[in-house]
Structure formats: C-alpha cells, structure tokens
Amino acid sequence: MSAGSKGLLARALAAPDPRALGTGAMALGGTLLFVSLLVAALGESPFEAIWTILDGALGDPAGIGQTLMVAVPLALCGIAAAIPFTARLWNIGAEGQMHIGAFMAVAVALTLPSLPAPVFIPLILIAAVVGGAVWAAIAGGLKTAFGANEVIVTLMLNFVAILIATYAITGLWPQGIAPATERVPDSALLPSVWDAGDVNLALPITLVALVAAWVLMTRTGLGLQIRSIGLNPFASRMNGMRVGTVTIATFAIAGVFAGLAGAMEVIGENASLITNFSANYGYIGIAVALVARLSPAWILPSALLFAALQVGSQSLPAAMGIPTSFGQIIIVAFVLGLLGARVIRLRYAEGAVQ
Amino acid sequence: MNTTVLISVFATGIALMTPVLWAALGEAISERAGVLNIGIEGVMLFGALVCAWAIREGAGIWTGLLLSIPVGAALGLLLAFLWVSRGADQIVSGIIFNLLALGATTLLFEEFLKGVGVVTSLDDIRIPLLADIPLLGEILFEQPSVVYLALLAAPLVFLLLNHTWFGLYIRSAGEKPRATETAGLSVTGLRYTAVILANVLVCFGGAALIAITSGGFVSNVTAGQGFVALAIVVLGRWNPFLIVGGALLFGVTQALQFQAQSLGFLSSLPPEAWLSLPYLVTIAAVVVAKSSRYPNACGVPFTPAGATR
C-alpha cells in the first residue's frame, strides 16, 4: 500500500480541528439546554427522556436491529444530499426521489409476473434506481437549461412525487381501506440477514452503496469534477469541464441513492408502499450529510446517530407521554446549533444563489 | 366552463392566494436585503399554530392573527442571528430550521391542540356598491378581511422598497453590501431589520391560512406553500405588484380542484393530479422566469470590515 492512499484515508477520516470541537461542544451544550427547557415545559424529566431514548434504541437486539434499518434510508438520503452539496448543487429532493423509487419498486413488483428472487430483486432495485435518477435529473436539467433554482424545483418535485406515490396507494393498487398498496409477492422481498434484529439485505446493500459513493467522490474523474465545480464553477468551466453535464449527472447520481432507499423500504419490512413510509427521511438525510461534513466516509456514523435518536424516541409516548417528534427536534436543534456555531460551514465562492 | 364556475374559481383562488401572498411579500423584502429566507415554510407553520391555538382557546381569530406578529418577529430575530450575525449557510440552515419548525409545531400541536376544538373562519366582508359590479364584484369584493389587507400590503411593500430611503438602503445591502458599508451604513443592522420585518409578514401569512380555510391546524398544514412563495418572488421579479399576479396564478390553480367535476372530460383525472397542479405550475413558473435575476448578494453571508468569524 502506497503512502498516498494511506494519506487519503487518513484525510477522509480526519478529526475536525480543536477549535471546531470547542464550538461544537458549545452547540451541544446549547442543544441540551434547549431540550431540557422543552422537556421541562412538557412537565417531564429531561434525564429520563434521554435515558428512555437510549434504552429504546440500543437496549435489546430488536432496538439495535431497528436502529440499523432506519440508518439505511438515512445514510442513502445522506449521500443523496452530500454528493450534490459538494458541487454546491442544493438537492433538497431526496424525499421525492425516494418516493419515486418506492413507486417504481411497487409498480415492477406488482405488474410483472412473479419471478425467482435472484432475478426479481435486482430487477426491482434497477427500476427504482433508474426512476429516482430520472426524477432527480429533471431538476439538474431545468437548472442547466433554464437556470431554474434547484432548491425550488426539487422542493416542488417532492410534493408531486409524494402525490404520485399516493395515487399508487389510492388509485392503482389499493389494499382495501388500509393506507397501503397491495402486498408485493414474497419472491420480491429482501431476505433476512439477522433474524433477532429483523435486519434484511438492505443493510449490506447500503454498505456497498456507501463504499461506492466514497470511491466515486475520491477516486474517479467525475468525483473530481463534482468537487471542483463546488469549489469554483467558473474555473472549472475554464478548465474545460462541462458544468451542465456534470450538474445533471450529479443530480442523477443523488437520485440513484435516494431511489434505492425508497425501493428497499417497499420490498423490506413493509412489503408494500405505505402512506408516509419515509417519515421525512429525505429531509433528515440533509442533516445527516451536514453532520458528516459531506464526507461519504462519515455518513454511516452520522446516520446511525440520527437513527438511534429516531428509534429511541418511539418509546417516548408509551414511557413518558412525550410525542415521538421529540427525537427529531433534539437532533435538528443540534444541527442548527452546529450551523450557527460554524462547526458545519460550507465554502462560499463569491456570487449569487443561481 | 360557465360563469358560475369561473366566479367560484377566481373568488376561491383569491382567498387561497392570500397566505402565499403575505409570505411572498415578506420574502421579497428579505431577498432584496440579500438574505434568502428559506425558513419561510417553518415560520408560516408557527404562524398557523399560534392562530389555531388562539382560536382554540376562544380568544378569537383576530387575536390569533395579531399574536402571529410578535411570534414572527421573534423567529425573524433568531433567523437573523443565524444568517446575519453567525453567517450560517442560508439555504442549508433554512432547510434545517424548517425541519425543526415541523417537529416543534407537531409536538406542540399534539401536546396542546389535539382533538376537536372550536373551528371558525373569518366572515366574508361585502363591500357595498363595489360588490354589485357584475363578475368582478363577486370575485373581488366578497372576501375575508385578511384578503383586502394583503392586497393593500402589496402597494405598501412596493412603496417601502422603491420610494423610501430605508428601501434604497435595503436594496443596496442586497446588491453591493461592501459599497453599502463604505457609504457608512450598517449592513448587519439593515439585514436584521429586513429579516425581522419579512418574517412578521410570513408568520402573518401562516396565521391567515388558518383564518381563511378554517380547517384548523394539522401537522405540516402549510404543505409547501412557503416554498411556493419562494418561487412566486422569483416569478414576480421581486416586484410586489407582479408578486400579486404570481400568487393569483397559484391560488387559482389550487382552486381548480374544487371545481374539477364541472370541467368536462378533465373530471376523470384522479384527485392527486389536481393536487399536484399548483406545484407543477410553480415549477413552470421558475422555468419561465429564467431571465429574472436574484439580487446580487442574495444568499451570500456578509462579513463586516474588521470583523472575524
């Protein structure tokens, strides 16, 4: 192994500088204060709340397994935000791309005659990935061709995508009065890899996808172009990079990861496309990407942190009568604190939004 | 499409455009000052929650609407601190703020507002004489009071931005902040004022949503209307009068779904198609508005001379 590759790995995993850690600690302190006040306002003990969350997320195999399975879409949506953000392309559309992936998965699984699993599952995943990529590429294409602000376009496409998924549930393949589509055939379901934790093949697939994202960003020409455009689009153009093509490609790549996330929700535990299956994973993925400082190597730990809070919060209503959205508030307040403390900062070239 | 349907679509459309119009007017002020206020959706949610809470507590709709003003100012102060003082990335922290607002309003709603409560909406006010004008009268002059107020606010915001010193300073802070500073003005102060004022209007828009639709608060009640306002500002080229037109376009497309059954062959479309129409129109709007240019420094944090971060 050459010294260069070791340096690269070291750089990818490098700890943030000490000053950032100091302000990070301040952000953490501020978040804890905010959370304590919030819990106190609800008339409960903050310590008990945090203990309940930890116990629910990591207390038993079922909790650990669920944390891992929630980390799957969060990590994939994190990548779907991190890669375009590196190019300073604001893909807020992971939520929609995920819904299109789920729609494509359920469409293929329910319309094709049942095939053996080794053929069926890859086919479903490919359809979902293509769907997500094409959906995401719309935003990239509109930005390249018309200079349409990708923040607005991706946000609007999210609402449209969710309505398309809703149409699959209410119009195309309804399952009685349940807010879900018909059940997909058994041969379309991802096989289990850890029964005690109810963990299926989605986890290994996600790990492979994370490695692929890391390789793409650090080892390929396209990754270099994406990073270069993020640092300075004008210099990149002057150096002969096709900024428009790379823009569309970047969005399509993001859509691949988000679409994969959506499909694996459908052919995983749920076995159908259910209303509100995503629980804002697409948006929380942005926070995951920020905490990972847009580095693919840090996406997994970041996603696990968010997943643990999310899963742990589910025990709050039963244990303490605090609504589940509490967990989301904690983590999001923390990320906002990190942004305010400038621990997470994105480099800025002079220029406007467009 | 006969006259009754037409009147109904436009009258409903004007009522439905009002929350978005308030929000878009606020957004125009903040973007002109150089701050891209993506937190608009979250601020609207808080406005809606406050208004719904006031109605639920029996304090009346107008108390709710007025209460949204200090709430908007407080949120504006928080966001201004993040964006102006701390120089946090406006797009990213705006999106994160929206997530926080969604979580917080859902939590407060489930804790304090859940279940059936008193649900009322503002009465239509019929303006004498004007309401008797055929067609136009029924469309324009039989509306709730917040609708008239929004239509009055548009020219006021226009005057503020284009015909006052304050408006001139704000616009300069959004175009060339360094030059503004050199001229002896405080970019920080101007942007703080603009962001707070903007979010007061945005928050009022959220409250107006509850006051007009009477549906009461539900989680994520705004359903992307704040983001639509972002697009309308671009479509209206930061000009309050054009913004009214953009908001009307959105309101009318939203109103169409209620008349879908009287639109002939289109009535066979699934409801989801009608629901997605306003969002598709919004995308079309940003594409059509390709020549409109953001204020030069919009979205870029400003570091005052001599300050370090």
Side-chain angles (χ1 to χ4, degrees):
Chain A
M1 186 184 259
S2 71
S5 70
K6 202 171 151 193
L8 195 69
L9 187 68
R11 248 183 297 148
L13 301 174
D17 69 88
R19 221 175 35 166
L21 281 179
T23 39
M26 269 165 54
L28 184 63
T31 312
L32 285 177
L33 187 70
F34 168 78
V35 169
S36 311
L37 288 175
L38 195 66
V39 182
L42 297 173
E44 304 284 344
S45 147
F47 299 106
E48 200 188 328
I50 288 168
W51 176 249
T52 311
I53 289 176
L54 282 178
D55 191 47
L58 306 168
D60 54 1
I64 296 173
Q66 214 192 338
T67 300
L68 290 172
M69 288 314 287
V70 170
V72 162
L74 287 180
L76 290 171
C77 288
I79 292 286
I83 292 180
F85 280 23
T86 308
R88 305 196 55 75
L89 296 169
W90 307 114
N91 176 28
I92 320 293
E95 185 80 6
Q97 291 141 23
M98 209 179 151
H99 274 84
I100 294 297
F103 176 84
M104 293 299 285
V106 85
V108 171
L110 290 177
T111 48
L112 285 191
S114 196
L115 299 164
V119 189
F120 210 16
I121 293 173
L123 204 61
I124 290 170
L125 293 182
I126 288 169
V129 157
V130 170
V134 169
W135 190 257
I138 296 174
L142 291 180
K143 183 181 175 66
T144 304
F146 303 104
N149 184 321
E150 75 274 25
V151 176
I152 297 171
V153 173
T154 49
L155 280 167
M156 291 299 122
L157 285 174
N158 286 348
F159 291 102
V160 178
I162 292 170
L163 285 165
I164 291 176
T166 311
Y167 180 55
I169 293 166
T170 58
L172 291 174
W173 307 285
Q175 187 199 93
I177 52 157
T181 59
E182 290 168 42
R183 213 183 134 79
V184 299
D186 282 345
S187 63
L189 292 179
L190 291 169
S192 172
V193 293
W194 180 37
D195 284 330
D198 216 0
V199 171
N200 61 39
L201 199 63
L203 184 65
I205 293 177
T206 303
L207 295 178
V208 172
L210 287 174
V211 173
W214 182 79
V215 170
L216 171 80
M217 291 306 283
T218 58
R219 297 293 188 170
T220 66
L222 182 60
L224 178 71
Q225 294 194 24
I226 291 174
R227 285 182 287 143
S228 161
I229 286 171
L231 291 173
N232 195 330
F234 307 106
S236 306
R237 198 189 299 274
M238 290 306 144
N239 278 294
M241 291 179 197
R242 296 179 180 190
V243 176
T245 315
V246 178
T247 298
I248 297 173
T250 308
F251 270 98
I253 290 166
V256 163
F257 288 96
L260 185 63
M264 295 201 299
E265 289 295 299
V266 169
I267 60 174
E269 252 177 293
N270 299 336
S272 63
L273 174 52
I274 59 178
T275 300
N276 206 10
F277 72 94
S278 90
N280 283 332
Y281 291 151
Y283 293 111
I284 301 171
I286 295 170
V288 170
L290 290 174
V291 168
R293 299 178 134 203
L294 309 187
S295 155
W298 281 96
I299 290 282
L300 186 63
S302 172
L304 284 170
L305 173 70
F306 280 76
L309 264 170
Q310 179 108 355
V311 172
S313 306
Q314 287 167 7
S315 355
L316 283 175
M320 301 176 65
I322 299 178
T324 1
S325 48
F326 182 72
Q328 192 190 342
I329 295 179
I330 300 178
I331 195 78
V332 172
F334 179 51
V335 176
L336 203 60
L338 288 177
L339 282 164
R342 297 177 68 77
V343 175
I344 300 170
R345 56 205 283 197
L346 302 155
R347 242 178 275 208
Y348 249 98
E350 283 295 318
V353 204
Q354 280 182 337
Chain B
M1 208 195 276
N2 60 30
T3 327
T4 346
V5 177
L6 196 73
I7 289 175
S8 161
V9 164
F10 273 89
T12 320
I14 286 180
L16 290 178
M17 83 170 182
T18 307
V20 179
L21 179 56
W22 279 110
L25 290 173
E27 185 68 24
I29 297 176
S30 126
E31 287 187 15
R32 276 290 178 94
V35 178
L36 189 70
N37 180 22
I38 302 262
I40 184 169
E41 178 85 8
V43 175
M44 277 185 93
L45 271 176
F46 273 110
L49 183 80
V50 164
C51 188
W53 176 75
I55 295 172
R56 172 70 178 269
E57 295 295 309
I61 299 175
W62 270 101
T63 317
L65 285 168
L66 291 176
L67 211 56
S68 72
I69 292 173
V71 170
L75 293 170
L77 188 66
L78 171 74
L79 290 171
F81 175 72
L82 266 181
W83 290 331
V84 183
S85 293
R86 300 300 310 168
D89 185 282
Q90 291 165 17
I91 294 177
V92 168
S93 51
I95 291 289
I96 298 296
F97 171 79
N98 289 337
L99 266 182
L100 180 65
L102 178 60
T105 50
T106 307
L107 180 110
L108 293 170
F109 165 68
E110 284 175 359
E111 194 71 14
F112 298 114
L113 275 175
K114 198 133 196 188
V116 189
V118 187
V119 178
T120 52
S121 62
L122 287 173
D123 293 328
D124 288 352
I125 296 177
R126 203 184 137 84
I127 297 189
L129 295 177
L130 287 176
D132 296 328
I133 305 171
L135 273 181
L136 213 61
E138 276 181 81
I139 292 173
L140 260 179
F141 299 110
E142 285 182 42
Q143 296 283 1
S145 46
V146 279
V147 176
Y148 301 125
L149 278 179
L151 291 172
L152 274 178
L156 286 178
V157 172
F158 179 83
L159 288 176
L160 176 76
L161 284 175
N162 296 297
H163 293 282
T164 62
W165 283 108
F166 177 68
L168 182 66
Y169 294 159
I170 278 191
R171 283 183 291 138
S172 79
E175 292 289 343
K176 286 269 180 289
R178 194 61 72 195
T180 313
E181 184 182 54
T182 311
L185 297 164
S186 159
V187 175
T188 309
L190 285 169
R191 287 191 173 175
Y192 256 91
T193 320
V195 171
I196 291 172
L197 180 59
N199 282 300
V200 166
L201 296 187
V202 170
C203 200
F204 191 82
L209 179 69
I210 296 294
I212 289 171
T213 56
S214 81
F217 191 88
V218 289
S219 180
N220 201 13
V221 66
T222 48
Q225 295 208 16
F227 300 133
V228 170
L230 283 178
I232 286 173
V233 173
V234 180
L235 182 66
R237 295 167 183 244
W238 296 267
N239 176 339
F241 289 118
L242 298 178
I243 285 173
V244 174
L248 182 62
L249 177 71
F250 172 77
V252 167
T253 37
Q254 227 192 353
L256 275 178
Q257 57 179 287
F258 302 114
Q259 295 296 333
Q261 74 283 0
S262 49
L263 293 178
F265 69 98
L266 289 175
S267 58
S268 56
L269 283 176
E272 285 83 8
W274 290 108
L275 289 171
S276 63
L277 192 62
Y279 304 119
L280 293 172
V281 168
T282 306
I283 294 175
V286 247
V287 170
V288 170
K290 64 174 173 178
S291 63
S292 65
R293 186 188 61 84
Y294 271 91
N296 192 45
C298 188
V300 185
F302 177 77
T303 314
T308 48
R309 283 208 184 98

